[in-house]
Amino acid sequence: MKKSLMLAAWLAGSLLPAATRAEDAPPPDAYGSLFRSIAGGSLEKNHRIGVLGWVDATAITASSTGADGSLGNGAFFSGEKGLNLNQLGLVFCRGISCPGPLAGRPQGVIARVGPFPGPRGGQVEFGFNVTATYGRDSDFFRTAGFDDFTSDLDNDNKLAFPQAYAEVYLPVLGGTTVLAGNFLSPVSGKEIGLPFTPPNWFSTHTYSLQHGPGTHTGVLISSRLPTREGAGLWGFELGAVTGWSTVEDSRPTLIGALRWRSADFRTWVDFEAVYGDGEGDAYGPARGGSAYIALSSTDERLDRAAAYLTVGHQVNPDLSLAFEANYGFQEGGDIPAPGAITRKSEWYGLNAQARYKLADNLHLNGRAEWFRDDNAANIQWAANGATGGNVYAVTAGLEWQATPALRIRPELRYDTYDGGGTLFGGGRNDQFTALLNATLRF
């Protein structure tokens, strides 16, 4: 990545309790409205095939920027000072692989989201998803060997295909899905990289997302486990993929998750992890691959892992909380190239988030994060001049669903770094960011 940045499957990672998800979701006609107006509704109605789109743009300013106006790590999804086209996105999908009403009922499990109550579906179902994005965020959505085009590397806005997969639902256990292809990582904690349903609470993102995988290519199995009545719901995921944001790693990487939902569905607990070889999978800016450069002169395996534990709880109909802990490491190689990791490096952190409903279409969101990258293993830290240490960030914002299709989010954020070197532009170790983000669904 990143991820996630990426991030997320669109319902990737640990999301929120059911009541919160319902209130956050856009009306059924928000996504796909342009396609329906042109082609009519027969494909959606008769075949559950949709074409869904969005435009996501941000006007942003910061107290510290690089010489070229680029922003520091705290707003790493937003490009540079001024107006940014983050994402022009388009999804061509069918049935269970679509967000919203086209997906149908949960059938016991949704891949990269987890188990759902109710009877499992009794029929085999097929779906597919092809997602394209154009804009500044595409730097973090590319997969090396799949969509790492070279013709636009010098452009601010780039094209990426973060998802291209097929999916099948099977009436096995409490409901099981098998997903195969290129997809946004489910190992992303309380973050996703795209403005899907439900959306992220914030326009900027966490350092934990920056330090995780963005996309994977391979196979992922998701299933709901049988449980006794009243004990809540358990689900698991297990996959074999070709590393972090690359199809060119010959040594397989394992991804997995264990997910629990309380009987009243107000509390969600998710443990997500990825483990595999991190040797030689960094391919340069906007080319996909991981954000870690670890090289071996003998092609020796260099282990890398990351894990997220996320707890979400709906306190009451107006207040939702989320807490996340994360940890990762990369073994060092023996080639001291610029930015390369030559000793075992670890990164870890905590963040807490809250969301309060002021009105049916207006929410107040807050987040606090502590994160430590011991040796500036992430190349985005090293490139900014950091040598490792702690960063602290506080974020506050409003989310206004102005119309069924238009979401507006003003946001304020402050980051401070106390490690070696410098982390933000202009040789500074703190950064204040103010932005106005707008997302239009069509």
Side-chain angles (χ1 to χ4, degrees), residues 7-13 15 31 52 54 90-93 96-99 110-113 128-131 163 165 184-185 191-199:
L7 57 321
W10 30 39
L11 295 178
L15 303 180
Y31 282 122
L52 320 175
W54 69 92
L90 201 64
V91 177
F92 177 51
C93 62
I96 57 173
S97 301
C98 293
I110 296 179
R112 299 172 294 172
V113 178
F128 60 80
N129 182 303
V130 178
T131 300
Q163 303 204 115
Y165 64 84
L184 287 167
S185 177
E191 286 275 3
I192 54 177
L194 300 180
F196 295 146
T197 306

Side-chain angles (χ1 to χ4, degrees), residues 229-321:
E229 187 176 353
L233 300 173
W234 285 93
F236 77 90
E237 294 172 0
L238 185 63
V241 298
T242 57
W244 294 28
S245 302
T246 179
V247 300
E248 299 178 340
D249 195 335
S250 60
R251 291 178 282 218
T253 288
L254 297 179
I255 59 175
L258 187 64
R259 308 187 188 277
W260 178 79
R261 312 293 180 246
S262 63
D264 60 8
F265 224 58
R266 292 173 58 193
T267 303
W268 291 29
V269 179
D270 294 81
F271 176 75
E272 305 156 344
V274 54
Y275 171 76
D277 177 29
E279 198 279 328
D281 69 348
Y283 295 90
R287 292 292 303 274
S290 77
Y292 306 95
I293 302 175
L295 305 172
S296 169
S297 60
T298 59
D299 196 35
E300 179 184 355
R301 176 189 175 95
L302 300 174
D303 286 347
R304 182 172 62 224
Y308 296 80
L309 176 63
T310 311
V311 179
H313 180 66
Q314 179 135 16
V315 178
N316 56 51
D318 295 332
L319 177 62
S320 296
L321 303 175

Side-chain angles (χ1 to χ4, degrees), residues 412-423:
L412 299 175
R413 174 169 176 152
Y414 178 74
D415 300 66
T416 182
Y417 169 68
D418 70 359
T422 59
L423 186 58

Side-chain angles (χ1 to χ4, degrees), residues 42 101 104 121 126 133 147 157 201 210 275 277 303 306 440:
S42 60
F126 295 91
T133 63
D147 64 352
N157 298 317
W201 290 353
Q210 182 187 65
Y275 171 76
D277 177 29
D303 286 347
L440 178 68

Side-chain angles (χ1 to χ4, degrees), residues 63-77:
S63 61
S64 57
T65 61
D68 59 354
S70 59
L71 296 170
N73 285 270
F76 62 93
F77 249 27

